[in-house]
């Protein structure tokens, strides 16, 4: 085969995103050299023309190590085509309801913003089990990252090849196939500011030569630990910036805030107080914030004034707040051990077999703010602060001095809202154990010269979440609070009594299992590929056929204690217990490669899947490549895809979650549902939201289109541009609140009311509702050259999102373009992302300098800005762009030893400020879906070969 300039240029430039070659492929030096047939992710047909109809990005182990990347999560954060959603451990570190339950310790892959459950993750070309707590997406923490040889990322839908979930694309983690010798490595990634250090060590041993001995066996064992990074470890993690539109929405403070109660519940301030300054009704008072007092900040670290204007709550003008968003862990501590072993056997010249074992154990601990004690249904009058308490007269006198004694009920208990610092931060520890056992045969069928591969595998992921500190049995906690042993009005430097702390310790629920789940997948598959014997002007027609049989199983356990004694605010999920539900999938697929001319080839593929309980679906795909010039290639593809409902989406029971914001109003009396105290009918409501599954859900469907070109005008320069579009319909999601609000006439039944007509609950169970339309352009360019006896390469890879639109109902038009807008629950669709890499290699030295850029976007509007009642003085609707630089230096001049030193975030760039509401997204004044909070960090990788 004659290599044209296009192929040579791409090969010499490196793997990149426009050209993919398997590791064993040899780059020819002459035009008449031969190229081995290879198979890449996205196609079952081995072929020699390595520039495929679909763009594929490949990361080699060397490239990953040079960037100081230690996990699949970090790789996805730097991948430009990866979406910006709550898929990393920093963005799902807070309190979880059922909908987010699977985020306990999970990192997901999310390509082109389609979601972790619409991105297919493969390990060595085959599926792995989804995470045990949710059964919806693969946990990247279970991937044996240190053992990787390369990562292939297919940047397009692939349901015609792989079936469900491959809407956003496919990520194939490929480990070594064989290894002889021994090597060990150690890695450290230490932050300059402290906190969040990362450590990894790995050992790899193998023996046997597959060609001479007829066998090879190797195994690799890795250990990795991520140290804790707390929100308080970084100055930018601070929500007390009211002048910029951000202030914590809580009045539960370490020095408690006094609250009113109804007329039937006697308390110190009754139903409220009248401000003598202007007659305003006051319902919440912290005596530290009264005129002439010491101020909220004197009450302890992370305390400050409650911004009543920002939250449109003038009745809380004398309340204090506490920076609870900054109390969450930014980086959850994580420990993981993973193991992979593969034994390969050469049966004869045409046939071989192998057995592969992959296992991992991942422990993650999330922690967030201590419980807030509120004078509500759970903690009624018997738990309020007694009149015999040592702080009672201090509170009474401070209130009387300003409001007047005639407004107070001396001798009645004090209803309060308090952040129970003595209770400790709430912590949930999750342990996930995963494994996959696979046996496979592969080879060539004599006579017809067809390749085949066939295998059987079983994979599981089992997870358990256990309560750590900060959780207490409700009845025991009520007794402690009502006894007066605990004082919620302590100043810094003061401590709870020994008796009070002993009582809290006795009420602790530490160690109670919260829930657990297991996802199991059993698979038998076979693929045959080869020539059909029919010649076209461009060559022989190639084909692949195959079958895939799978059984998917899932079970979920709730509270398994014999005595289900209530634990305050523990997020149990007993309503969603599933006793090992399962389904069988049968699939057949076919693929054709048609070399119409030397310059034009067409690929056709189709897959038929039949699901128990759903029926069947057929998904086709067509792609082409056209090379009108040696230096220019045009490529394009069209396909359909699907994603079946998860077991949770189908069978979950009903669960309830209290709406905690102050921004929601009844859409029946307040069009748009935005709360405002100054607009009639727009009073704030806090209903219960009902979540759960529905067994009549249909699979989601999608259409993918792409077209682009690759050009190599010079031997040392090539670039590619690819346009793509993904349209999803019948999307499965918890009924979006904005859809229920904006289409109130359609969803009136979802707003559940009591006998007086007040909204008490919102039905947000799963529905097939509307869809999304996403379009974008991806670019990649490579320039190479020589300098001072070495070789340099400049690579630019970028992703431009042109359009992201949604619709809540199939009958509705799409929304306005949301690109560059803050999107709360979906992927954050920023317009432009790029990575610019400059590498230089000379002898035993290699250097890499990288620039990572993430575009800015329009911020979420504060409540007062949205309802027009108040605009902070320094409010800026734009979130700034985010750009960081990384540098690495490698030296391999010592025998059997290689050093790689790196600096991440070279200029110590803080994440940009954002005023998004923290009740609905993690990150205190910064956006974890965009930025890395660790700051400047220094990395060192030591690799040593000892056999």
């Amino acid at each position: 085969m004659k290599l044209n300039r296009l192929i040579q240029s791409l090969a010499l430039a490196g793997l990149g995103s426009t050209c993919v070659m398997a590791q064993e492929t040899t780059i020819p030096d002459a035009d008449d050299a031969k190229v081995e047939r290879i198979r890449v992710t996205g196609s079952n047909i081995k072929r020699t023309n390595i520039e495929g109809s679909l763009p594929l990005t490949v990361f080699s182990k060397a490239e990953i190590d040079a960037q100081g990347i230690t996990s699949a999560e970090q790789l996805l954060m730097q991948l430009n085509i990866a979406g910006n959603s709550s898929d990393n451990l920093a963005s799902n570190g807070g309190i979880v309801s059922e909908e987010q339950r699977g985020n306990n310790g999970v990192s997901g892959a999310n390509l082109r913003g389609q979601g972790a459950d619409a991105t297919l993750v493969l390990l060595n070309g085959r599926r792995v089990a989804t995470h045990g707590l949710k059964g919806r997406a693969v946990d990247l923490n279970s991937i044996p990252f240190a053992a990787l040889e390369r990562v292939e990322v297919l940047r397009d839908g692939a349901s015609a090849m792989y079936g469900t979930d491959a809407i956003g694309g496919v990520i194939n983690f490929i480990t070594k196939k064989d290894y002889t010798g021994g090597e060990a490595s150690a890695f450290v990634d230490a932050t300059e500011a402290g906190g969040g250090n990362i450590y990894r060590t790995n050992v790899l041993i193998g023996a046997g030569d597959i060609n001479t001995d007829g066998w090879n066996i190797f195994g690799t064992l890795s250990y990795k630990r991520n140290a804790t990074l707390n929100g308080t470890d970084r100055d930018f993690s601070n929500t007390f910036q009211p002048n910029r539109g951000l202030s914590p929405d809580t009045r539960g403070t370490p020095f408690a805030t006094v609250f009113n109660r109804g007329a039937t519940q006697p308390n110190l301030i009754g139903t409220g107080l009248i401000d003598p300054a202007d007659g305003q009704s006051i319902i919440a008072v912290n005596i530290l914030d009264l005129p002439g007092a010491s101020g909220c900040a004197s009450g302890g670290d992370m305390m400050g004034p409650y911004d009543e204007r920002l939250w449109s709550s003038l009745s809380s003008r004398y309340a204090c707040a506490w920076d609870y968003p900054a109390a969450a862990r930014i980086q959850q501590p994580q420990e993981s051990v993973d193991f992979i072993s593969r034994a390969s056997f050469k049966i004869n010249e045409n046939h071989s077999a192998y057995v592969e074992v992959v296992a991992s154990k991942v422990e993650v601990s999330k922690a967030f703010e201590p419980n807030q004690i509120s004078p509500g249904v759970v903690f009624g009058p018997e738990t309020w602060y007694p009149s015999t308490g040592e702080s009672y007269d201090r509170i009474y006198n401070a209130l009387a001095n300003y409001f007047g004694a005639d407004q107070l009920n001396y001798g009645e208990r004090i209803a309060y809202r308090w952040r129970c610092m003595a209770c400790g931060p709430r912590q949930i520890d999750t342990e996930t154990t995963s494994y996959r056992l696979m046996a496979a045969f592969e080879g060539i069928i004599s006579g017809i010269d067809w390749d085949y591969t066939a295998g059987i595998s079983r994979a599981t992921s089992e997870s358990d979440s256990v309560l750590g500190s900060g959780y207490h049995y409700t009845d025991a906690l009520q007794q402690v609070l009502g006894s007066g042993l605990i004082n919620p009005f302590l100043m810094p430097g003061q401590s709870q009594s020994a008796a009070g702390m002993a009582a809290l310790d006795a009420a602790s629920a530490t160690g109670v299992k919260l829930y657990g789940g297991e996802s199991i997948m059993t698979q038998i598959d076979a693929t045959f590929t080869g020539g059909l014997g029919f010649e076209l002007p461009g060559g022989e027609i190639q084909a692949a056929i195959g079958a895939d049989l799978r059984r998917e199983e899932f079970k979920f356990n709730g509270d398994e204690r014999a005595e289900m004694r209530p634990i305050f605010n523990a997020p149990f999920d007993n309503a969603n217990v599933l006793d090992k539900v399962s389904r069988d999938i049968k699939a057949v697929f076919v693929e054709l490669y048609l070399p119409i001319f030397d310059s034009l080839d067409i690929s056709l593929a189709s897959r038929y899947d039949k699901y128990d309980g759903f029926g069947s679906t057929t998904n086709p795909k067509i792609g082409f490549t056209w090379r009108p010039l040696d230096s220019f290639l045009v490529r394009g593809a069209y396909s359909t895809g699907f994603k079946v409902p998860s077991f949770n989406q189908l069978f979950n029971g009903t669960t309830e979650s209290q709406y905690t914001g102050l921004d929601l109003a009844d859409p029946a009396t307040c069009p748009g549902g935005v709360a405002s105290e100054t607009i009639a009918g727009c009073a704030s409501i806090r209903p219960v939201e009902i979540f759960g599954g529905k067994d009549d859900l249909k699979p989601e469907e999608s259409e993918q289109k792409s077209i682009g070109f690759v050009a190599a005008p010079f031997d040392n320069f090539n670039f590619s541009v690819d346009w793509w579009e993904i349209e999803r319909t019948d999307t499965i999601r918890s009924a979006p609140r904005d859809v229920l609000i904006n289409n109130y006439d359609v969803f009136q039944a979802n707003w559940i009311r009591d006998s007086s007509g007040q909204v008490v609950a919102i039905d947000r169970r799963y529905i097939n509702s509307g869809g999304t339309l996403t379009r974008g352009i991806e670019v990649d360019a490579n320039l190479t050259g020589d300098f001072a006896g070495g070789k340099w390469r400049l690579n630019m890879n970028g992703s431009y999102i042109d359009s992201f639109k949604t619709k809540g109902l199939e009958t509705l038009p799409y929304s306005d373009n949301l690109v560059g807008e803050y999107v709360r629950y979906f992927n954050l669709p920023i317009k432009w992302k790029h990575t610019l890499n400059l590498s230089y290699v000379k002898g035993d030295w290699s250097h890499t300098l990288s620039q990572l850029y993430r575009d800015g976007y329009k911020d979420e509007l504060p409540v007062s800005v949205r309802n027009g009642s108040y605009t902070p003085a320094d409010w800026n609707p734009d979130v700034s762009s985010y750009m960081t630089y990384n540098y690495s230096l490698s030296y391999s001049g010592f025998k059997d030893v290689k050093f790689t030193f790196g600096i991440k975030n070279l200029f110590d760039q803080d994440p940009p400020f954002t005023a998004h509401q923290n009740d609905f997204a993690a990150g205190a004044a910064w956006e974890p879906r965009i930025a890395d909070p660790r700051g400047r960090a220094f990395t060192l990788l030591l690799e040593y070969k000892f056999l």
Side-chain angles (χ1 to χ4, degrees), residues 815-864:
S815 67
D816 293 336
N817 192 0
L818 299 177
V819 173
E821 302 287 336
Y822 181 88
V823 177
R824 181 182 290 177
Y825 298 111
F826 290 96
N827 179 76
L828 186 62
I830 60 175
K831 186 177 289 291
W832 174 252
K833 302 164 64 176
H834 78 247
T835 304
L836 188 64
N837 290 312
L838 175 62
S839 61
Y840 179 72
V841 179
K842 182 179 180 180
D844 297 323
W845 297 90
S846 63
H847 306 258
T848 302
L849 178 65
S850 301
Q851 179 197 75
L852 278 72
Y853 176 84
R854 303 294 181 256
D855 212 354
Y857 55 93
K858 295 292 183 183
D859 207 352
E860 182 177 27
L861 297 179
V863 170
S864 64

Side-chain angles (χ1 to χ4, degrees), residues 201-220:
T201 184
N202 176 70
V203 62
L204 168 63
I205 299 177
D209 187 293
I210 192 69
N211 293 315
T212 60
D213 300 326
W215 61 272
N216 176 266
I217 184 170
F218 75 88
T220 177

Side-chain angles (χ1 to χ4, degrees), residues 314-602:
L314 297 178
S315 57
S316 297
R317 60 171 56 159
Y318 298 119
C320 292
W322 185 69
D323 197 357
Y324 67 93
R329 287 173 175 166
I330 292 178
Q331 177 176 283
Q332 302 173 36
Q334 178 190 70
E335 285 195 49
S336 63
V337 177
D338 57 67
F339 170 78
I340 179 170
S341 180
R342 179 166 170 149
S344 302
F345 307 93
K346 188 175 182 180
I347 300 173
N348 56 40
E349 289 301 317
N350 291 331
H351 305 281
S352 62
Y354 66 88
V355 177
E356 185 179 271
V357 178
V358 181
S360 68
K361 181 179 180 181
V362 182
E363 298 177 346
V364 176
S365 178
K366 65 164 58 178
F368 36 93
E369 67 271 17
N371 262 317
Q372 177 176 267
I373 308 298
S374 297
V377 176
V378 176
F379 298 111
E382 70 281 359
T383 66
W384 299 346
Y385 194 66
S387 58
T388 55
E390 59 180 326
S391 295
Y392 189 89
D393 286 342
R394 178 188 175 194
I395 301 301
Y396 171 80
N397 291 333
L399 293 173
N401 287 340
Y402 182 74
F403 292 100
D406 58 328
Q407 294 199 62
L408 304 176
N409 304 312
Y410 185 78
E412 297 290 351
R413 286 178 172 251
I414 302 175
Y416 59 87
R417 186 165 293 176
W418 176 50
R419 189 67 58 174
C420 184
M421 306 302 290
C423 296
R426 283 172 285 176
Q427 182 173 313
I428 298 176
D429 302 323
T430 300
E431 179 180 293
T432 301
T433 303
S434 304
Y435 81 85
R436 188 181 74 176
L437 175 63
M438 181 175 66
F441 294 88
E442 56 187 26
I444 300 175
I445 302 174
S446 301
I448 62 173
D449 197 29
W450 271 49
D451 296 327
Y452 77 91
T453 178
I456 181 170
S457 64
R458 183 173 177 85
T460 73
S461 174
E462 186 172 10
S463 301
D464 289 299
S465 286
V466 176
L467 295 179
S469 66
Y471 288 99
H472 297 79
Y473 290 101
T474 304
D475 54 357
L477 184 59
Q478 288 173 327
Q479 292 179 11
V480 176
L481 295 174
S483 68
L485 293 174
I486 292 295
N487 185 354
F489 302 104
L490 295 181
M491 292 293 286
Q494 297 179 310
S495 302
Q496 299 291 344
S497 67
M501 291 305 299
L504 278 179
D505 290 342
S508 175
T510 299
V512 172
K513 180 179 176 181
L514 191 60
Y515 39 57
E518 183 178 17
S519 174
I520 304 173
M521 188 196 67
T522 306
Q523 181 176 19
I524 302 175
D525 64 84
T527 302
F528 303 86
T529 177
L532 292 180
F534 299 103
E535 294 287 333
L536 293 174
E540 185 183 10
I541 297 175
Q542 302 289 315
I545 58 172
D548 180 9
L549 305 177
R550 297 199 314 276
R551 168 165 288 186
E552 297 174 348
E553 303 170 77
F554 180 72
K555 65 179 180 180
F556 178 72
N557 304 317
D559 189 349
E560 297 180 303
R561 295 173 298 161
E563 180 187 0
M564 292 190 183
R565 185 181 173 194
I567 299 174
F568 179 56
N569 270 352
F572 286 106
D573 199 8
N574 298 329
N576 294 319
V577 170
L578 295 177
D579 188 14
K580 207 165 191 177
V581 290
S582 66
R583 61 189 173 206
D584 293 331
I585 303 99
K586 305 176 182 67
V588 293
F589 51 88
V590 62
E591 182 182 1
L592 291 175
Y593 170 65
L594 307 173
I596 307 299
F597 302 106
D598 287 342
S599 62
L600 175 65
D601 26 82
I602 294 175

Side-chain angles (χ1 to χ4, degrees), residues 118-408:
T119 298
L120 181 61
V121 174
L122 304 176
L123 179 61
N124 292 331
R126 287 180 167 92
R127 290 176 179 262
V128 293
T130 53
H131 191 255
L133 282 187
K134 198 74 172 179
R136 189 180 297 185
V138 172
D139 179 21
L140 297 180
N141 297 310
S142 66
I143 299 295
F145 199 74
L148 293 180
E149 190 68 36
R150 67 186 185 276
V151 180
E152 295 183 355
V153 182
L154 176 64
R155 306 188 333 254
D156 203 5
S159 286
M161 298 303 305
Y162 301 110
T164 185
D165 304 339
I167 291 177
V170 181
I171 301 182
N172 190 6
F173 295 94
I174 301 171
T175 62
K176 296 179 183 295
K177 291 185 176 180
D178 58 68
Y179 180 79
T180 301
E183 62 182 70
S185 66
F187 175 86
V188 62
D189 180 348
T191 62
E192 183 178 275
N197 292 345
I198 300 172
Y199 309 91
R200 188 187 76 194
T201 184
N202 176 70
V203 62
L204 168 63
I205 299 177
D209 187 293
I210 192 69
N211 293 315
T212 60
D213 300 326
W215 61 272
N216 176 266
I217 184 170
F218 75 88
T220 177
L221 180 67
S222 302
Y223 170 78
K224 179 170 175 283
R225 182 170 74 89
N226 291 0
T228 304
L229 179 64
N230 294 310
T232 53
D233 292 336
R234 296 295 182 264
D235 292 338
F236 58 77
S237 180
N238 170 25
T239 59
F240 276 116
Q241 303 186 58
N243 59 310
R244 304 172 77 178
L246 181 64
S247 188
D249 178 22
T250 182
R251 286 153 292 181
T253 47
F255 185 95
T257 298
V258 179
F259 256 77
N260 73 331
R261 287 291 88 189
T264 60
Q265 295 179 303
N267 64 94
L268 180 61
I269 67 170
T271 58
L273 304 172
I274 301 300
D275 190 342
D278 59 5
Q280 170 69 44
S281 175
I282 302 298
I283 65 169
V285 182
N286 195 301
I287 65 168
L288 301 179
D289 199 40
L290 288 172
S294 59
C296 292
S298 68
D301 292 340
M302 302 166 63
M303 271 190 67
Y306 180 82
D307 196 299
E308 74 281 357
R309 296 172 302 172
L310 198 61
W311 294 107
S312 298
S313 181
L314 297 178
S315 57
S316 297
R317 60 171 56 159
Y318 298 119
C320 292
W322 185 69
D323 197 357
Y324 67 93
R329 287 173 175 166
I330 292 178
Q331 177 176 283
Q332 302 173 36
Q334 178 190 70
E335 285 195 49
S336 63
V337 177
D338 57 67
F339 170 78
I340 179 170
S341 180
R342 179 166 170 149
S344 302
F345 307 93
K346 188 175 182 180
I347 300 173
N348 56 40
E349 289 301 317
N350 291 331
H351 305 281
S352 62
Y354 66 88
V355 177
E356 185 179 271
V357 178
V358 181
S360 68
K361 181 179 180 181
V362 182
E363 298 177 346
V364 176
S365 178
K366 65 164 58 178
F368 36 93
E369 67 271 17
N371 262 317
Q372 177 176 267
I373 308 298
S374 297
V377 176
V378 176
F379 298 111
E382 70 281 359
T383 66
W384 299 346
Y385 194 66
S387 58
T388 55
E390 59 180 326
S391 295
Y392 189 89
D393 286 342
R394 178 188 175 194
I395 301 301
Y396 171 80
N397 291 333
L399 293 173
N401 287 340
Y402 182 74
F403 292 100
D406 58 328
Q407 294 199 62
L408 304 176

